[in-house]
Structures are given as C-alpha cells and as structure tokens.
C-alpha cells in the first residue's frame, strides 16, 4: 500500500528555516517523481516544487531561491528545506507522488499534510 | 502566473448532474492534455479523480467524467450523491516543468 507521511511542520518566526520530511512506503522515491504542494489556510492548492528521477529540480517562482527539494534514497524520504520564511508561506504542505509521461502529468498519491505557520 | 479560473461554488440536488469549469490559457490548459481534477473533503488530503483530461483512476466512480475544449476543461459529476459534497480543484501542466492549480470550487449537494 502506498503511503506518504509528512513531518517537521510547526511554528516558525519570519526569516527562519524549517525542513519538512515526507516518508514514503509502498514504493521507492528514487524511482519516482515527487512534488510538494501547499495550501494556505482556507485557500486553494499551490504547486511548490518537483524533483525528477535524475535529480533535476524545479520550483514555483514564489519559492525559488528560498526552498530546496531533495531526497534520501536510503531513507526513502523526500525533503523540503525552507529558508527565509515569510508569513505568506503559512500553509499545509503536502508531498505527492507525481506521474510523469513526457512531463509532470498528475499527482496520484498524497500525504496527509503538515501545517507550517510563519508568525512572530 | 495566475491560478486557473474555476467558479467559486456550484450546487445540485441528489441525482442531478453538475459541471465545473476550469479556464486557463494557451500556455497551460490549451497546450497540453494534462488536466487533472482533485476532490478534497474538509481537513483531508486531495484525491485524484480525473487525469489527462478524461481518464479515471481505478476505484473512482464512472459518475465522474472530464473533457476539454480549447483553454477550458470541465469536470462533470452525474447522479449527484451526498458524499460528492467537497471542494474540487483542477490542475494543468504549465510548461517548464511547472504545474498550476485552479482556485477551487465548492460543490454543495442540496
């Protein structure tokens, strides 16, 4: 059974850093494409980042230069390192397995989400 | 890049059909047959309902169907049931390895 479990969220001050983890089971992250999607409280979904099987990474303009997606194949875990956090980064963050045809096509499995609150 | 445009809300009675539209541009919805739809109940993670415009994942009811014309994609739910009440989001590939979501549509089953 495919399962994704996010951890590492919490309350952080503006300008601070946080690393989210997404532990996968039922499949291997290094043989799949993986993404982060976030959802501010009461608002819609926003794509954040994707990592390809060959380790290429891509980001939304809103987080480029501040966030870094990575994975640890030995732990079968996806990460999102978030630096220079802003109030507008406050959201529930979801990791999602990404199905790739010629390009990223859709997200078939999602974690339960983890809340990140950026506030002083 | 602005979010895809969805109506904020739609409603229907049990047994009826509803359609949710998702309007993008020639750079996203109009250029790729890579529109997907997600259902989200309050406090839950999104669930894939439709992918690649018209395809249904295993286990999703055939009451859910998708289509696309030009820059607008649509999700149709037939035979509305109480459990269909949820928020629905469309998503499209937007080029340069990025994806873009719609703003979401709240479906109310009357």
């Amino acid at each position: 059974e495919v399962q994704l479990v996010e951890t590492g969220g919490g309350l952080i001050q503006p300008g601070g850093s946080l690393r989210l983890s997404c532990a996968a089971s039922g499949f291997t992250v290094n043989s799949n494409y993986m993404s982060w999607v976030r959802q501010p409280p009461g608002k819609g979904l926003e794509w954040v980042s994707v990592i390809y099987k060959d380790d290429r990474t891509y980001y939304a303009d809103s987080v480029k230069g501040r966030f870094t997606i990575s994975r640890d194949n030995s732990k079968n875990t996806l990460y999102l390192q978030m630096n220079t956090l802003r109030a507008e980064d406050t959201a529930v963050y979801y990791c999602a397995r990404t199905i790739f045809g010629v390009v990223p096509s859709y997200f078939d499995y999602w974690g339960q989400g983890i809340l990140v609150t950026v506030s002083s | 890049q602005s979010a895809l445009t969805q109506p904020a809300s739609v409603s229907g009675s049990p047994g009826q059909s509803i359609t949710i539209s998702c309007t993008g541009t020639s750079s996203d919805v109009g250029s790729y047959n890579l529109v997907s739809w997600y259902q989200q109940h309050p406090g839950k993670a999104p669930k894939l309902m439709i992918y690649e415009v018209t395809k249904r994942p295993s286990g999703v009811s055939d009451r859910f169907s998708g289509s696309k014309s030009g820059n607008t994609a649509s999700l149709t739910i037939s035979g509305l049931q109480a459990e269909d009440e949820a928020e629905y989001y469309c998503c499209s590939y937007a080029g340069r390895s990025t994806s873009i979501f719609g703003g979401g549509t709240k479906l109310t089953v009357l």
Side-chain angles (χ1 to χ4, degrees), chain A residues 37 39 43-47 50 52 56 58-61 94 99-101 103-108 110-113, chain B residues 1 32 34-36 38 40 43-48 50-52 89 91 93 96-104:
Chain A
V37 175
Q39 185 171 34
K43 297 188 177 181
L45 300 170
E46 179 188 16
W47 173 80
V50 62
Y52 283 18
R56 280 182 289 166
Y58 298 90
Y59 301 90
D61 288 343
Y94 297 97
I99 299 303
F100 191 101
V103 292
S105 300
Y106 57 95
F107 313 102
D108 65 343
W110 297 64
Q112 85 286 353
Chain B
Q1 199 171 22
Y32 309 98
L34 294 175
V35 176
S36 51
Y38 302 86
Q40 187 180 35
K44 301 295 186 181
K47 174 188 176 184
L48 177 68
I50 295 287
Y51 66 98
E52 293 173 1
Y89 293 92
C91 181
Y93 179 69
R96 299 183 182 182
S97 297
T98 66
S99 299
I100 186 169
F101 284 90

Side-chain angles (χ1 to χ4, degrees), chain A residues 13-33:
Chain A
Q13 291 189 338
S17 297
L18 205 60
R19 188 179 79 160
L20 304 182
S21 300
C22 170
S25 57
F27 72 101
T28 55
V29 295
N30 68 335
S31 59
N32 282 270
Y33 298 79

Side-chain angles (χ1 to χ4, degrees), chain B residues 18-37:
Chain B
I18 63 95
T19 297
I20 299 171
S21 62
C22 170
T23 301
T25 70
S26 58
S27 297
D28 38 64
V29 174
S31 286
Y32 309 98
N33 288 324
L34 294 175
V35 176
S36 51
W37 290 89

